[in-house]
Amino acid sequence: MIPSTQALPAQDRIISVRDLKYIYEGGVEALKGLNLDIRSGEFVAIVGGNGSGKTTFAKTLNGLLRPTSGLVTIGGRPAASMTVAELAKTVGYAFQNPDHQLFSSSVENEVRFGPRNLGYPEAEVAKKVEAAIDAMDLGPIRGHPPLSLRLSDRRRTSIASVIAMDPKVLILDEPTTGLDLAETEALMESVCKLNREGRTVVLITHDMRLVAEYAHRVVVMAAGRVLLDTDASGAFSDLALLGQSNLEPPQVTLLAHRLSDRGVPKDIISPEELALRLFMLRGDRR
Amino acid sequence: MTGFVDLYTEADSFLHRMDPRVKIAAVVLLSLLALIVGNLVNLLALLAFVLLLLVLGRATLSKTAFALKFVLRIMVMIVVLWPIFDPSGTPVLAELGPVKVTEPAIWKGVATAVRVCCLATVWYILMFTTSQRDLVRALVKLGLRFDFGLALAISLRFIPTFGATVESITDAQRARGLELDRGAPLKRSRNYVAVLVPTIVSALRTADMLSLTLQSRAYGARPDRTYLRELRMRWSDALALAAVVALFALPAAAKYLFGMAL
């Protein structure tokens, strides 16, 4: 289990959210009092069914939505006191649909747009653009027009264009929708590398296999609240709770649940782990 | 949201049940009537009639207020500005340099404001008692080519979707540090390129997909179309049409044949 974040010293929390409520125009209450801390360097998955408030929550972190009530603190400063552009320096948000942001004539220009907007000097911009293109493996296609690339490359470009602003936190909203297995793994490998280099990653997703494989910590949301906040294997041991959020653990975990009366633990999240457990059980019997 | 609301409100009133073709004819005739009539008292009578229709059509107060808020602002502007720019007539009530405020000009301003209110309300009644589908169906029955009618129906249907896309695109670019309303005018208009290009691309993609969907459902397979729902004039519709025609024809004849001032 991860240690409770409530006890953390303030400077370790890159994101801190208290009693966050958000009501849309028209009366839909999307967030109903959310409390959450995210530490610097974490890889957090935020999961939940459609309409659970994941995206609304993410948008309050970079100021696109201003909370109806409650407090959002980013890097020690209240988000309410910062503009979206200022917040973009700390919290980068890659939207779900890359086509909602691509407009430049080349991948390189696309990536340059963000840091330019933030007013960095040209030399600095060039450095950040190189780093972002490198991080997302876009070197070979840097001169291509982004709109004519295939989906996985359009998504890489959109993520690179956010990384180029050098944010401490990277929010990825459903980054693997529509990608095949190889593309998904390649993309997540790049994201993990960014995380290892110290960037905080917040992954919004429905894909529990992705969560099991990559996230250190899982926040399960349902109906505008945090239902569960734990490590990945902990999140999958309570099926009823996950069901409340229209989620199901990966199949290997479900299999482990079925085998639990034979002595297999319920918190298994990878096939390797299950195989190991089964071997151990066979050994016991001999 | 950008504040777009479909004005159509489902309800059960005689206006909702009326044949949309009759409603379109009525709205056109009542609009013409509002333009023919110039006298304030007559205009007020017409407005009273139109407001009565509004009540009979079971308009909700909140939606009416939302729809006509804008018109109210225009009305206030007309009432204020008309006397300032129209120096004709006597008696002169006030004079300040070149500006001369006369009594007839004040009344003319008020009358024009009432006229604008009549026009807006009449069209609003059509919009909130007639679904977009019925409206298009009526236009097609009145002779509009079916393709154009379908195109119109589709564009109306996509206005809210399009609004949501624009909003999402704006959000995505703001998250990349774009500040739309900052900088010199030239810089500001350049800012909009970042929103405009993805918007156009997204609209083109939607249009492309839409045409494929239409084709895959055999749109245009047979030139003579049949309709699932036929519009049918009932006696009450014919009666309503006759009433509106009379309501328009009598004052029109009085004014243009007999030269009466209205």
Side-chain angles (χ1 to χ4, degrees):
Chain A
M1 288 294 277
I2 51 157
S4 163
T5 47
Q6 301 288 342
L8 283 173
Q11 64 269 24
D12 281 0
R13 299 186 207 132
I14 185 88
I15 292 173
S16 168
V17 171
R18 289 286 169 274
D19 300 320
L20 178 62
K21 285 187 185 162
Y22 190 86
I23 303 172
Y24 279 98
E25 228 177 294
V28 178
E29 201 178 350
L31 300 176
K32 300 173 184 168
L34 204 102
N35 289 294
L36 195 68
D37 283 314
I38 295 176
R39 284 170 300 170
S40 205
E42 267 189 309
F43 194 132
V44 189
I46 297 184
V47 299
N50 285 331
S52 58
K54 306 184 299 278
T55 297
T56 306
F57 170 57
K59 283 187 178 173
T60 60
L61 297 182
N62 72 346
L64 285 174
L65 296 178
R66 298 295 180 179
T68 310
S69 69
L71 197 66
V72 177
T73 315
I74 305 292
R77 284 178 64 192
S81 68
M82 293 188 266
T83 65
V84 177
E86 280 170 340
L87 281 163
K89 288 183 182 175
T90 312
V91 182
Y93 185 175
F95 272 60
Q96 187 172 355
N97 186 349
D99 299 342
H100 281 173
Q101 63 169 69
L102 301 179
F103 72 101
S104 302
S105 52
S106 72
V107 168
E108 199 178 328
N109 287 337
E110 191 70 58
V111 176
R112 193 175 292 136
F113 181 70
R116 268 238 176 106
N117 279 335
L118 298 186
Y120 290 112
E122 268 315 298
E124 185 90 344
V125 169
K127 228 167 70 186
K128 289 186 192 303
V129 169
E130 282 318 307
I133 286 180
D134 199 41
M136 281 290 127
D137 286 327
L138 293 168
I141 51 170
R142 61 191 299 154
H144 292 229
L147 279 162
S148 61
L149 297 173
R150 58 186 178 151
L151 178 62
S152 66
D153 287 336
R154 296 209 297 278
R155 195 160 274 143
R156 279 177 174 277
T157 306
S158 82
I159 295 173
S161 69
V162 171
I163 298 172
M165 296 183 290
D166 203 10
K168 292 192 183 72
V169 182
L170 180 62
I171 303 177
L172 301 169
D173 198 343
E174 301 278 0
T176 58
T177 315
L179 302 192
D180 68 20
L181 189 64
E183 290 166 343
T184 300
E185 281 180 354
L187 178 66
M188 291 312 294
E189 214 33 69
S190 305
V191 172
C192 282
K193 191 155 166 262
L194 287 165
N195 179 240
R196 282 196 297 273
E197 289 164 6
R199 224 174 287 265
T200 312
V201 174
V202 178
L203 175 72
I204 300 173
T205 186
H206 295 287
D207 187 343
M208 303 307 271
R209 205 187 56 83
L210 215 62
V211 173
E213 209 162 325
Y214 298 102
H216 306 155
R217 177 180 166 200
V218 183
V219 174
V220 181
M221 283 185 68
R225 288 199 179 87
V226 172
L227 203 61
L228 192 65
D229 181 355
T230 170
D231 58 0
S233 53
F236 296 140
S237 51
D238 194 338
L239 291 184
L241 203 65
L242 279 179
Q244 276 184 47
S245 196
N246 292 333
L247 298 169
E248 198 180 66
Q251 294 201 328
V252 64
T253 310
L254 288 175
L255 186 58
H257 278 256
R258 292 280 176 85
L259 294 173
S260 61
D261 53 349
R262 307 276 177 93
V264 175
K266 286 181 176 180
D267 60 355
I268 280 173
I269 56 173
S270 75
E272 293 80 8
E273 220 180 319
L274 182 64
L276 189 69
R277 285 293 183 171
L278 290 174
F279 268 120
M280 282 163 61
L281 281 171
R282 242 175 65 180
D284 284 353
R285 257 178 232 148
R286 274 184 196 166
Chain B
M1 273 307 294
T2 27
F4 181 87
V5 182
D6 185 6
L7 290 180
Y8 175 63
T9 316
E10 237 167 272
D12 188 31
S13 77
F14 83 99
L15 282 172
H16 282 80
R17 288 189 298 268
M18 194 183 279
D19 187 316
R21 286 171 294 183
V22 175
K23 275 190 271 187
I24 291 175
V27 163
V28 171
L29 289 176
L30 287 176
S31 304
L32 287 175
L33 189 60
L35 295 175
I36 289 175
V37 173
N39 179 309
L40 180 60
V41 178
N42 293 341
L43 275 170
L44 281 173
L46 182 60
L47 183 62
F49 175 65
V50 170
L51 290 178
L52 179 69
L53 287 182
L54 196 62
V55 174
L56 291 178
R58 307 192 176 195
T60 55
L61 194 63
S62 57
K63 207 162 207 178
T64 310
F66 167 81
L68 298 181
K69 199 168 50 186
F70 178 68
V71 179
L72 204 66
R73 260 181 248 159
I74 295 184
M75 286 171 65
V76 171
M77 260 169 61
I78 293 174
V79 169
V80 172
L81 294 181
W82 197 285
I84 297 177
F85 289 101
D86 180 6
S88 65
T90 47
V92 177
L93 296 179
E95 220 173 332
L96 197 83
V99 179
K100 203 162 75 170
V101 177
T102 69
E103 197 187 310
I106 288 179
W107 290 121
K108 243 191 252 175
V110 173
T112 309
V114 173
R115 176 182 287 154
V116 166
C117 187
C118 281
L119 287 170
T121 313
V122 161
W123 285 92
Y124 167 65
I125 290 175
L126 177 67
M127 296 313 288
F128 98 89
T129 61
T130 319
S131 70
Q132 290 171 358
R133 263 173 40 185
D134 272 350
L135 210 56
V136 171
R137 202 173 277 139
L139 289 173
V140 169
K141 277 286 162 192
L142 289 170
L144 184 73
R145 265 182 57 186
F146 181 78
D147 332 30
F148 293 178
L150 184 71
L152 180 66
I154 288 175
S155 16
L156 288 174
R157 145 76 182 78
F158 270 93
I159 290 173
T161 314
F162 200 61
T165 308
V166 171
E167 201 176 6
S168 172
I169 290 170
T170 311
D171 274 357
Q173 304 300 37
R174 285 176 65 209
R176 295 166 77 194
L178 178 71
E179 293 182 305
L180 280 175
D181 35 12
R182 265 183 96 167
L186 187 69
K187 168 99 173 47
R188 240 186 258 189
S189 54
R190 276 225 324 261
N191 283 346
Y192 274 95
V193 173
V195 175
L196 210 59
V197 173
T199 303
I200 293 170
V201 168
S202 149
L204 289 176
R205 283 210 167 121
T206 309
D208 200 35
M209 210 133 69
L210 211 57
S211 72
L212 284 178
T213 347
L214 282 173
Q215 277 174 43
S216 68
R217 290 191 227 168
Y219 173 73
R222 41 183 294 175
D224 54 326
R225 295 193 57 88
T226 56
Y227 294 85
L228 183 62
R229 258 191 68 188
E230 286 286 354
L231 293 176
R232 210 163 274 136
M233 285 270 272
R234 287 164 308 177
W235 275 109
S236 54
D237 292 320
L239 213 63
L241 185 62
V244 175
V245 169
L247 187 65
F248 168 74
L250 292 178
K255 181 167 181 179
Y256 294 109
L257 294 180
F258 303 105
M260 284 165 69
L262 292 173

